[in-house]
């Protein structure tokens, strides 16, 4: 049975999502629990496969569909990096799927079943993108993730319909560009298997067609990961998404395309050729612009959700400049920031979702005295804010530290200045929130959902908020273990020479 564990990461949630509406019709909550149970099974499967990979010294686990050997057949490939991200995606998905339940408990079976069907499919799309070893299969999972994401954003209310439609239009352009890039690569190599394509592409690394394909991949993935200036869909999508799913969308949805970009540029094509090197230079410029403009735009917001959305534009910039450095420390910093930012941004959106659930409030200047009303949420915001700024021993400090090392090692001192300026801007707008929560006088808020008890929220919401808050600190303490035990085992070959 263990040899089939890799496929269970995708098979369990896709099966549950397809059956969700049927079981929800029988009993309105049954379908949701089946989806949650399937995501838990996918998480256990991802943990099991990652353990196998680490036990083999970082050697990848391969799973061939129908026992058809690649390049003829489709395969899943789990190495240390993809295994770690599969665990991350399924774990965050599990937390948010439980967190979502109070938001829709009073809805009818159709709304509950529809919500969890979309949620399960988005989990399938993300996990499939992470572990697939086939470039066209990645496109299929990208579309599954995107289509379900459009639906979950649209469920947020009236304004969310326009946000979802805008994302659909822009996201379709991104997916089409990726598909066009696949077409160019297939015309040169005659294969869709990633490993086989990497070998055959070596003879075409200096051709104009290869440069065109790389450009399509950069723009396509850049749109999906909300890389500046391709982020136009993101602020409204994050702001108006269904509050139950916003933590999952903001925490993971932009990180998976970033990982896909890493897979193509660093593992398939390599950074030691002129085309990819030039692409990384462009990525660095866009990353710097995203960091500075995203941080400045976040300062100007009064809607908590929108502030976090622009903050994410800046954080994606961190990942971009880490990759653009083209050295081992920059790469480690970028990958570590994918993990850390997933926890940080998920925690913040879970908290604002909780405030919105209880008080119907998203204005960050109306959070006075929130530490007395929602103590656990306030502490979680504190941990997340300190981590976003880069204060030790929280997780964000360590990813920024590796980015600084990468910039210093590569004598790219301009990146150091940008990182320092960005951290100062982060401090301004996050300390503004902490001031409101802990120092300002208590705001007079009317409870939309009255909740008795000291927790301030239903236990299904408090537990995920608490886990993500604690996770930010735990990731900080174990950052060295993550880097040495997982990320360094999965370093691209160019850094091992």
């Amino acid at each position: 049975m263990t040899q089939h564990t890799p496929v269970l990461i995708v098979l369990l949630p896709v099966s549950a999502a397809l059956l969700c509406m049927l079981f929800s019709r029988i009993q309105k909550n049954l379908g949701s629990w089946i989806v949650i149970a399937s995501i838990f099974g996918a998480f256990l499967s991802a943990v099991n496969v990652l353990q196998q990979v680490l036990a083999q010294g970082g050697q990848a686990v391969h799973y061939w569909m129908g026992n058809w050997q690649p390049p003829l057949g489709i395969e899943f490939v789990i190495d240390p990096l993809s295994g770690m991200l599969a665990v991350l995606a399924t774990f965050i998905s599990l937390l948010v799927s439980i967190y979502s339940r109070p938001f829709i408990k009073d809805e009818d079976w159709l709304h509950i079943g529809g919500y969890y069907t979309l949620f399960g499919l988005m989990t399938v799309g993300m996990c499939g993108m992470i572990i697939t070893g086939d470039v066209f299969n990645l496109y299929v999972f990208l579309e599954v993730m995107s289509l379900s994401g459009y639906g979950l954003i649209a469920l947020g209310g009236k304004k969310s319909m326009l946000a979802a439609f805008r994302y659909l239009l822009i996201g379709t352009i991104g997916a089409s560009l990726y598909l066009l890039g696949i077409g160019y690569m297939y015309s040169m190599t005659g294969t869709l298997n990633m490993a086989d394509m990497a070998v055959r592409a070596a003879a075409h690394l200096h051709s104009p067609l290869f440069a065109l394909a790389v450009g399509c991949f950069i723009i396509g993935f850049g749109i999906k990961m909300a890389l500046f200036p391709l982020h136009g869909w993101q602020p409204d999508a994050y702001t108006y998404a269904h509050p139950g799913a916003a933590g999952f969308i903001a925490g993971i949805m932009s990180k998976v395309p970033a990982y896909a970009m890493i897979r193509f540029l660093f593992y398939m094509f390599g950074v030691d050729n002129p085309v990819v090197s030039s692409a990384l230079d462009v990525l660095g410029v866009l990353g710097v612009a995203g960091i500075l403009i995203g941080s400045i735009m976040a300062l100007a917001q009064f809607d908590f959700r929108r502030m976090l959305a622009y903050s994410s534009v800046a954080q994606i910039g961190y990942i971009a400049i880490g990759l653009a450095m083209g050295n081992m420390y920059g790469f480690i910093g970028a990958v570590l920031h994918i993990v850390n930012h997933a926890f940080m941004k998920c925690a913040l959106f879970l908290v604002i979702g909780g405030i919105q659930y209880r008080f119907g409030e998203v204005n960050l200047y109306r959070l006075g005295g929130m530490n007395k009303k929602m103590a656990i949420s306030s502490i979680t915001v504190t941990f997340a804010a300190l981590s976003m700024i880069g204060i030790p021993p929280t997780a964000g400090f360590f990813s920024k530290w590796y980015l600084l090392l990468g910039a210093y090692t590569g004598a790219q001192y301009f990146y150091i200045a940008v990182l320092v300026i960005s951290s100062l801007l982060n401090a301004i707008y996050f300390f503004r929130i902490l001031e409101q929560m802990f120092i300002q006088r208590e705001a007079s808020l009317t409870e939309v959902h009255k909740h008795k008890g000291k927790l301030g929220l239903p236990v299904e919401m408090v537990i995920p908020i608490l886990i993500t808050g604690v996770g930010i600190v735990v990731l900080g303490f174990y950052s060295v273990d993550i880097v040495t035990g997982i990320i360094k085992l999965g370093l691209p070959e160019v850094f091992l020479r």
Side-chain angles (χ1 to χ4, degrees), residues 137-321:
N137 206 30
L138 190 148
Y139 167 76
V140 173
F141 284 119
L142 175 66
E143 287 294 83
V144 171
M145 179 191 76
S146 299
L147 290 171
S148 52
Y150 304 150
L152 288 173
I153 292 169
L155 289 175
K158 292 181 180 179
K159 291 183 178 180
S160 66
M161 297 293 290
L162 181 59
F165 184 66
R166 184 183 292 114
Y167 182 23
L168 185 152
L169 294 178
I170 300 175
T172 300
I173 295 172
S176 299
L177 284 169
Y178 171 70
L179 191 59
L180 193 61
I182 291 176
Y184 291 142
M185 292 304 303
Y186 184 75
S187 69
M188 288 185 287
T189 63
T191 184
L192 295 172
N193 181 268
M194 289 183 178
D196 195 35
M197 182 177 286
V199 173
R200 299 190 185 193
H204 306 277
L205 295 180
H206 299 280
S207 70
L209 199 59
F210 174 73
L212 190 58
V214 171
C216 288
F217 292 142
I218 292 288
I219 299 173
F221 289 134
I223 289 174
K224 291 295 184 178
M225 63 191 278
L227 176 68
F228 180 89
L230 308 171
H231 69 289
W233 60 270
Q234 188 248 45
D236 283 348
Y238 282 19
T239 300
Y240 302 120
H242 190 288
F248 190 33
I249 293 171
I252 301 294
M253 198 169 185
S254 60
K255 311 306 182 302
V256 176
Y259 165 73
M261 183 184 289
I262 290 172
R263 180 62 65 186
F264 274 79
L265 297 184
F266 283 80
Y267 290 88
M268 290 177 59
F269 304 147
V271 296
D272 52 353
N273 71 78
V275 172
V276 175
S277 180
S278 298
L280 291 181
D281 290 338
V282 173
L283 201 62
V285 173
L286 299 183
V288 168
I291 290 171
L292 297 178
I293 295 176
S295 299
I296 292 170
M297 289 297 296
L299 280 171
Q301 307 307 314
F302 61 87
D303 185 313
F304 199 168
R305 302 166 302 178
R306 202 168 191 81
M307 190 208 79
L308 295 178
Y310 279 110
S311 170
S312 289
V313 174
Q315 301 298 315
I316 290 297
Y318 289 151
I319 298 169
I321 66 170

Side-chain angles (χ1 to χ4, degrees), residues 324-344:
M325 290 171 192
N327 57 51
M328 182 180 71
Y329 289 118
F331 178 85
I332 291 172
V335 173
L336 192 59
H337 201 68
I338 288 176
V339 177
N340 294 341
H341 186 252
F343 263 86
M344 294 185 292

Side-chain angles (χ1 to χ4, degrees), residues 14 46-47 79 105 127 153 183 191 240 249 266 292 316 321 338-339 350 360 367 409 442 470 472 490:
V14 75
V47 171
D79 58 16
K105 65 179 180 181
C127 292
I153 292 169
T191 184
Y240 302 120
I249 293 171
F266 283 80
L292 297 178
I316 290 297
I321 66 170
I338 288 176
V339 177
L350 293 186
L367 303 180
T409 302
E442 190 170 333
V470 173
I472 291 168

Side-chain angles (χ1 to χ4, degrees), residues 453-466:
K454 296 181 179 180
L455 294 178
L457 290 171
V459 67
E460 302 101 307
M461 299 175 72
V462 173
I463 291 176
I465 289 173
L466 180 62

